[in-house]
């Protein structure tokens, strides 16, 4: 999978994309991630990428020209059709189902906004999926791009140490993960649940499932009511 990230701050993202699971996946050739500086596509001598809003008001708005030129240039570098994503607090809230769907695409193009937002014609003309990582406002789309890329890349086959780990994680089945423990058996008076030391794999599996259900019920009951979730957010097919 190729992932292009169009940003005014590639220096925020490059170290992130070079570390940990994402960095390892790149090094292993599972994904190619390329950051492109939108300012390189500015056409005036000040290298402007934003301007004041028509109609007045505070802040600056990202201009169409440099963004369209950057998108068209980057898309011409690879024949695979890119799924365009624009990160914005106005987008559809990111879920694991959306992440799974994006992980099945051959190519993603992620646009990070800054300032007061994008000229609306960028949304109209480029028709991207608009995605928000939560109901709060960031200074720009870069932290959201880091979140999205991390969530997608770790699902690419071979990105995690063992294929099983992605399957049992929180949200993989609309359930939160059961609690985990490692050595020592007792720490500051807190003991590991006896059943995990029993060696009885059937009982351990049943305990974990019960823990997973109870946690989901108490912390995220909304996950149990799948019927209440919009159809667009439900997992249709794992790699669709
Ligand atoms: N840009 C600013 N805030 C954002 C958010 N919550 N999600 C995605 N992109 C953003």
């Amino acid at each position: 999978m190729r992932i292009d990230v169009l940003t005014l701050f590639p220096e925020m993202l490059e170290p992130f994309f070079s570390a940990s699971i994402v960095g390892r996946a790149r090094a292993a050739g599972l994904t190619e991630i390329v950051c492109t500086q939108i300012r390189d596509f500015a056409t005036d001598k000040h290298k402007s990428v934003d301007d004041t809003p028509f109609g007045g008001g505070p802040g600056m708005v990202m201009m169409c020209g440099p963004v369209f030129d950057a998108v068209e240039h980057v898309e011409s570098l690879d024949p695979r059709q890119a799924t365009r994503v624009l990160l914005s607090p106005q987008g559809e809230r990111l879920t694991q189902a959306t992440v799974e769907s994006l992980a099945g695409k051959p190519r993603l193009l992620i646009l990070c906004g800054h300032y007061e937002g994008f000229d609306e014609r960028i949304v109209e003309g480029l028709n991207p999926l608009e995605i928000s990582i939560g109901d709060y406002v960031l200074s720009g789309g870069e932290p959201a791009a880091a979140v999205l890329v991390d969530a997608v890349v770790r699902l690419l086959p071979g990105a995690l140490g063992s294929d099983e780990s992605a399957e049992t994680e929180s949200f993989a089945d609309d359930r939160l993960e059961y609690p985990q423990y490692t050595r020592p058996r007792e720490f500051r008076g807190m003991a590991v649940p006896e059943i995990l030391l029993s060696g009885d794999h059937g009982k351990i599996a049943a305990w974990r499932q019960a823990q997973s259900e109870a946690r989901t019920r108490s912390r995220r009951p909304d996950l149990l009511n799948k019927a209440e979730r919009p159809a667009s957010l439900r997992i249709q097919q794992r790699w669709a």
Side-chain angles (χ1 to χ4, degrees), residues 87-89 131-134 136-138 140-141 144:
L87 294 163
S88 149
I131 291 180
S132 163
I133 62 159
Y136 41 82
V137 180
L138 302 166

Side-chain angles (χ1 to χ4, degrees), residues 107-183:
R107 189 170 179 205
L108 302 179
L109 184 148
I110 300 172
L111 264 169
C112 302
H114 248 268
Y115 312 113
E116 293 304 300
F118 291 94
D119 185 310
E120 189 61 22
R121 292 166 295 183
I122 291 171
V123 179
E124 226 177 275
L126 296 176
N127 195 29
L129 290 171
E130 287 186 83
I131 291 180
S132 163
I133 62 159
D135 292 342
Y136 41 82
V137 180
L138 302 166
S139 311
E142 286 75 15
V147 166
L148 178 61
V149 168
D150 182 281
V152 165
V153 167
R154 64 197 302 289
L155 290 186
L156 300 178
L160 297 182
S162 104
D163 272 346
E164 208 223 348
S165 20
E167 294 293 327
T168 58
E169 278 167 325
S170 297
F171 302 111
D173 194 21
D174 288 309
R175 295 289 182 279
L176 301 181
E177 202 182 358
Y178 48 78
Q180 296 271 28
Y181 299 86
T182 187
R183 278 191 280 265

